[in-house]
């Protein structure tokens, strides 16, 4: 379990190849929030951190690519679930 109180899990139902994630949202703070993207084979994990980034502080689409240097294909990894959290 994560200690962070602002997290979402997206269950993809099966493992799929992922290149990135597009996010539309707004951060309720004075500055962009630190965000983390983790992937796992299912919604139960285990989780693997693949990207840290600054989430936008305004309502605009933001595309986050996956950093997976040890993935079979550069910038692509198979995952059955996505864990997204802000701190």
């Amino acid at each position: 379990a994560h200690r962070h109180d602002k997290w979402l899990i997206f269950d993809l139902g099966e493992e799929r190849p992922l290149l990135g994630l597009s996010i539309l949202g707004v951060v309720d703070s004075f500055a962009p929030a630190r965000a983390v993207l983790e992937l796992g084979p299912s919604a139960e994990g285990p989780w693997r951190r693949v990207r840290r980034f600054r989430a936008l502080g305004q309502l605009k689409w933001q595309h986050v690519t996956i950093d997976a240097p040890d993935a079979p294909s550069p910038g692509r990894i198979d995952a059955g679930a996505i864990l997204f959290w802000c701190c």
Side-chain angles (χ1 to χ4, degrees), residues 27 31-35 53-58 62 84 86:
V27 176
R34 293 177 304 227
F53 61 98
R54 297 294 270 176
L56 296 176
Q58 53 197 6
Q62 182 175 7
F84 171 78
C86 293

Side-chain angles (χ1 to χ4, degrees), residues 15-83:
E15 287 201 56
R16 301 170 186 265
L18 300 176
L19 300 172
L21 180 68
S22 293
I23 302 164
L24 177 64
V26 65
V27 176
D28 189 21
S29 66
F30 291 108
R34 293 177 304 227
V36 177
L37 181 64
E38 298 185 13
L39 302 177
S42 72
E44 287 79 35
W47 299 104
R48 175 180 172 207
R49 184 169 298 170
V50 294
R51 184 72 192 257
R52 290 182 188 187
F53 61 98
R54 297 294 270 176
L56 296 176
Q58 53 197 6
L59 190 60
K60 286 188 177 180
W61 281 102
Q62 182 175 7
H63 184 74
V64 180
T65 57
I66 292 176
D67 294 333
D70 59 340
S73 299
R76 175 184 148 171
I77 190 169
D78 290 339
I82 301 168
L83 173 63

